[in-house]
Amino acid sequence: MRIIPVLDLKDGQVVRAEMGRRDRYRPIVTPLSASPDPVSVATGLRTLHPFSAFYIADLDAIEGRAPNAEALARLQAMPDAPELWVDAGIADGKALAAALAEPLLRPVLGSESQHSDALLRRFCDHPGPVLSLDFFADGFRGPPSILKEPAFWPRTVIVMTLAKVGSGAGPDFARLAEIKAKAASRSVVAAGGVRNAADISALSSLGVDAALVATSLHDGTLTPGQLASLGAA
């Protein structure tokens, strides 16, 4: 079971997500880092486990502001450079092609940022992109055809239940099971609500391949020993 820590970036800092209500996100306070600096937080997370990848939500880019390019460059320059899964609001082929050319970067296509399913149709056979199916409190956000046409999904699909993020309410197992059934042989990644090792084990039993995790790492619920025993990559 691959566990991928999440770094939500805003104004060059890591912020703490709260149920998809981005206006409420504030710089993170965590025992793993003396500051919300992205490299400091990532380094602190690696004191728990030698994580090989981080998921980055560039909230400024997603909302149409200047991307956190400097922060991403510094993360890419870390020792034992991690693979970065980056959602930066990409919605056109030129931007996606440029991201795919970056070493150790996997561009995430958030459904909320897509104007149609055209980009997915064009790149569905490419091994690099990751699709994030974004579910807010009011339901799926994005072109309905993306959710209805799994044939155009790439090889890795995130089920991003933003209403669960930071809520301590547990993963959305029902929705994950539904997407897993539609995804065929694709890798399915759970995002939102992972509380503890029991949730990770339950996700694994469901056939989920990876989980994006933040709160349970920062609050110490997932310990280094548990991460090691879960086989976190």
Side-chain angles (χ1 to χ4, degrees):
M1 183 72 178
R2 192 175 194 190
I3 297 174
I4 302 175
V6 174
L7 302 174
D8 290 295
L9 300 185
K10 185 176 182 180
D11 297 327
Q13 299 180 314
V14 179
V15 294
R16 191 141 196 169
E18 184 182 339
M19 301 170 69
R21 300 170 182 168
R22 291 171 180 155
D23 59 319
R24 299 187 182 185
Y25 291 11
R26 297 293 180 268
I28 195 167
V29 176
T30 171
L32 301 178
S33 173
S35 79
D37 174 76
V39 172
S40 178
V41 175
T43 301
L45 286 162
R46 277 184 160 178
T47 65
L48 301 177
H49 189 80
F51 295 109
S52 61
F54 291 91
Y55 173 90
I56 312 295
D58 187 338
L59 300 172
D60 293 305
I62 290 170
E63 295 183 345
R65 298 184 294 275
N68 285 276
E70 182 183 359
L72 288 175
R74 292 176 59 230
L75 288 166
Q76 289 174 306
M78 288 177 66
D80 297 320
E83 182 179 66
L84 300 180
W85 294 24
V86 181
D87 185 346
I90 290 175
D92 66 79
K94 183 177 180 181
L96 179 54
L100 288 169
E102 290 278 343
L104 289 175
L105 190 149
R106 293 196 71 184
V108 176
L109 300 177
S111 64
E112 68 165 307
S113 300
Q114 304 309 304
H115 309 299
S116 70
D117 60 15
L119 201 57
L120 287 171
R121 288 174 180 266
R122 179 178 167 188
F123 286 89
C124 64
D125 292 326
H126 194 291
V130 176
L131 170 63
S132 179
L133 298 172
D134 299 326
F135 296 89
F136 286 71
D138 57 356
F140 179 71
R141 195 166 294 181
S145 59
I146 290 178
L147 190 58
K148 292 177 181 177
E149 296 290 345
F152 301 115
W153 294 354
R155 298 180 189 181
T156 305
V157 179
I158 299 169
V159 183
M160 178 69 73
T161 309
L162 284 146
K164 295 274 191 177
V165 172
S167 69
D172 191 342
F173 291 107
R175 178 168 286 135
L176 283 159
E178 177 186 347
I179 299 300
K180 180 68 181 173
K182 295 172 67 174
S185 61
R186 296 170 182 83
S187 294
V188 173
V189 180
V194 174
R195 298 165 294 189
N196 49 40
D199 282 344
I200 297 292
S201 295
L203 290 169
S204 182
S205 296
L206 193 63
V208 170
D209 298 282
L212 306 185
V213 181
T215 301
S216 57
L217 295 173
H218 292 289
D219 67 15
T221 306
L222 279 172
T223 67
Q226 288 172 327
L227 290 165
S229 67
L230 290 164

